[in-house]
Amino acid sequence: MAVAEQSSALLAETVRVSVKKASAVPMLLLAGMVLYLIYAWNAFDITTLLERAQLSKGALLVSDSIAYKTHVTKSFRGNELEVAIEGERTATYKQFPDWVQGTVDSFSVDLGEGYLVRVEGQGLEFDVPGYGTIRSKLVDKKIVTELPEGPVPSWLNARDVKLEVRPTFSRRVQFTRAKIEIHKFDYGWENFWFPFNSVLHGKSFGDLAGIAASSDRIKADTPNWLFILKSFWGNPDWQHGIVAVALFETIMMAVLGTVTAAVCALPLAFVAASNFNPNGAIRFVVRRIFDFVRGIDMLIWSLIFIRAFGLGPLTGSLAIAFTDTGSLGKLFSEALENIDRKQVEGVESTGANRWQRYRFGVIPQILPVFTSQFLYYVESNTRSATVIGALGAGGIGLVLVETMRTQRDWENTFYIIGLIIVMVFIMDGASSWLRRKLIAGGESR
Amino acid sequence: MVDVMRNQLGALESRRRLYTGLSLALLLAVVVSGYHEASQLNSGGFLQGLLKFFDYPAQIVSQAWDDGWEFWALFPRFLPALIETLNIAAVATIIGAVFATILSLASSRNLEVPPALIPVVRRIMDIMRAFPELIIALFLIFVLGASPVPAAIAVAFHTSGALGKLFSEVNENIDVKPLEGLKATGSNWLQRVRFGVIPQVLPNYSSYFLLRFEINVRASAILGFVGAGGIGTELSRAIGWGAGAETAALFLMLFLSIVAIDQLSSYLRRHFVGAENFK
């Protein structure tokens, strides 16, 4: 009895020690990672970064992406009144929308829910529900503001040179010595389909269908449906045509680059495979070439190619082709080294020559690997093409970076981001569908 | 009977040949027209480019040569930038791997998680994988300012999805007997994962982790170009200013570090997984 107890205690002890030993390595790893992350927190100075983070910028970005703002501007110099989306020349209303009433000397802007701005000459009155009426006037090049009784709210800033009122996020009035500017925010992408100066602007889908079907031509030399398409395609703010070409360029870069890489890699892979090329020296050279083009990285290749070939999809395609010749060559040569000799011998026994042996004994064996890797690379190169495009190779990446850099219209940026994501998803889906289709039943890699 | 079969086989064979021929012709057409089109869209032509191909490398190499011994002084100067890039990659890989582990445990069929959860988590990982990291980085740079953190977050996001998928495949291939044994001792789910799953998957996880780290070094260097700091930012500045010697030094450093990490990672992977399992 005692012996059994003793031995079970001994067993328990042994198990405990071995469990401890087994957990030691993961625990050490974990501790090391935690220590490293603490170091990184300091190295990246995250504490300061969090203090300085401008979350309002992010909110602004999101709101600007789903809303647009209309500027009602009265400039004193030329005594002009203008209503325009984002204050842009191409998006100016020829006829004022119904919430702007009156003429340049006396007009009112209805900002909804009781917020009303009245402008008379060089004076302004702004009714703010729950607060009162703000009265401001330009006297001797100074802005004189009369506020209702009580403390000045934080959304109001009145100085000699500028009055700035923003009682709600979507309503804003600015009064400077040069002009009065009233901003009204609305949801949506106002001129997404057609530019403002186009007769098609604001028409519903039904109206457009009617116009397309009607035989009265808007423009004498083009049929209406073509005119509608052209207006949409050439929209100066959204640049649908340019964006579509850029998307096409990106996909072209990915496909062309990968096809070129695959075509170059296949013969080289035979040279690099030990069971096809007995010459060790040549094998070594080809393998080092693979390592070299792969190791230099797509980024560096694309920078060198930009210098030689300029901006555009050719540069991107060649950068992808160079890098992936290395990656695919290595993969293909490994696949070749793993093939089954028996099939080749079988083909040989029928009296086949060298090329026939390759064609019927080798290629069918590596074709599934080949196809699946090829499709996988096309898919991942679509993402890479976007990135190297952003570095300057062209395509949708460049368009994205340019719209982001100007920071003018975030809805444009959002639109392009959306298109990129849709493009990547489609390539992803198409590639995995084709992979399943082409190598169904075969071993999946 | 045999003749009929032979005819059918012949017909199949010739149809197959036709398909192969057609797809090869299509491929050729795509390549030829594609390169033609690409050459048109490019700002420089293909042939002039080919002649100029070595100009730029030659230019930066000769400028580096002119610097003489001072060229080597550039390396310590750019070392902090290189370390920053490596830090971005390492932090992103660690954080990504932590999330990937959680996501993969929630999406493996053999680990007794709610079945409804599995497809949801898998779709989430697909989206994380497909979402271009450049976009996340640019957005975060706008909000947080230019610093390595946006790059690290962006790369970590992508890494979670990419590693999560690989990890869940590893999880699904484990031996479930240890899990049953642990269950018999009355252990809970977390204990089963800790003592039954983790020890089995750790070698494979480590191997994938190192592979990802390698990929992430490249990704971090690229994100530096859009202002995320590190060697990419230095490189884009050097190229923009036409500083040939600096560009050469940075190219060389980036190349050498990628090769070094490549070698180290494949050595460690062999060590973790064993040469026989190594592919």
Side-chain angles (χ1 to χ4, degrees), chain B residues 37-263:
Chain B
E37 187 72 10
S39 187
Q40 297 287 312
L41 286 166
N42 237 48
S43 51
F46 182 70
L47 285 174
Q48 298 125 280
L50 219 52
L51 298 174
K52 285 194 299 189
F53 178 63
F54 290 104
D55 285 4
Y56 186 57
Q59 179 199 337
I60 60 174
V61 167
S62 76
Q63 286 194 15
W65 186 259
D66 290 343
D67 267 19
W69 289 109
E70 277 169 35
F71 176 69
W72 303 104
L74 292 171
F75 283 72
R77 210 181 99 201
F78 290 129
L79 196 63
L82 181 63
I83 291 175
E84 191 165 67
T85 293
L86 295 180
N87 272 337
I88 295 171
V91 168
T93 318
I94 291 174
I95 295 174
V98 170
F99 281 106
T101 310
I102 297 167
L103 288 170
S104 76
L105 291 174
S107 64
S108 302
R109 288 195 199 91
N110 52 349
L111 298 183
E112 297 177 36
V113 287
L117 196 64
I118 293 170
V120 177
V121 178
R122 290 200 170 180
R123 286 301 84 70
I124 291 174
M125 289 195 299
D126 284 349
I127 292 170
M128 289 173 101
R129 223 153 13 100
F131 211 92
E133 42 202 27
L134 179 76
I135 288 173
I136 303 174
L138 283 172
F139 176 81
L140 288 173
I141 285 171
F142 181 70
V143 176
L144 297 174
S147 97
V149 179
I153 297 174
V155 178
F157 186 82
H158 183 81
T159 303
S160 310
L163 276 183
K165 181 188 152 70
L166 295 171
F167 283 5
S168 77
E169 278 165 11
V170 174
N171 293 344
E172 292 196 335
N173 284 328
I174 61 166
D175 183 2
V176 288
K177 291 203 186 87
L179 296 184
E180 284 161 11
L182 282 161
K183 206 172 183 180
T185 65
S187 60
N188 63 25
W189 187 82
L190 218 59
Q191 286 168 328
R192 287 206 296 278
V193 167
R194 167 71 192 80
F195 295 104
V197 180
I198 298 293
Q200 286 194 63
V201 297
L202 208 55
N204 280 315
Y205 273 28
S206 318
S207 155
Y208 283 134
F209 177 88
L210 289 166
L211 199 65
R212 238 313 125 176
F213 176 61
E214 208 182 295
I215 297 169
N216 284 350
V217 172
R218 294 155 193 251
S220 315
I222 287 178
L223 288 181
F225 264 76
V226 294
I231 201 157
T233 302
E234 291 287 343
L235 197 52
S236 98
R237 186 189 53 78
I239 291 173
W241 288 4
E246 290 183 9
T247 312
L250 286 163
F251 271 159
L252 199 59
M253 279 174 90
L254 191 60
F255 176 60
L256 289 179
S257 55
I258 284 174
V259 169
I261 291 165
D262 209 281
Q263 293 299 320

Side-chain angles (χ1 to χ4, degrees), chain A residues 230-300:
Chain A
K230 272 186 176 165
S231 310
F232 171 72
W233 197 248
N235 187 332
D237 291 318
W238 290 89
Q239 304 184 315
H240 298 291
I242 293 173
V243 167
V245 170
L247 273 177
F248 171 73
E249 277 180 20
T250 301
I251 294 175
M252 188 161 83
M253 266 190 240
V255 173
L256 214 53
T258 322
V259 168
T260 313
V263 168
C264 298
L266 187 64
L268 285 173
F270 276 95
V271 182
S274 57
N275 49 348
F276 288 95
N277 179 8
N279 187 329
I282 296 178
R283 227 160 53 214
F284 181 83
V285 170
V286 174
R287 284 193 181 168
R288 290 297 85 74
I289 291 175
F290 285 163
D291 288 348
F292 179 74
V293 292
R294 206 158 39 96
I296 283 197
D297 210 83
M298 207 176 282
L299 159 71
I300 300 178

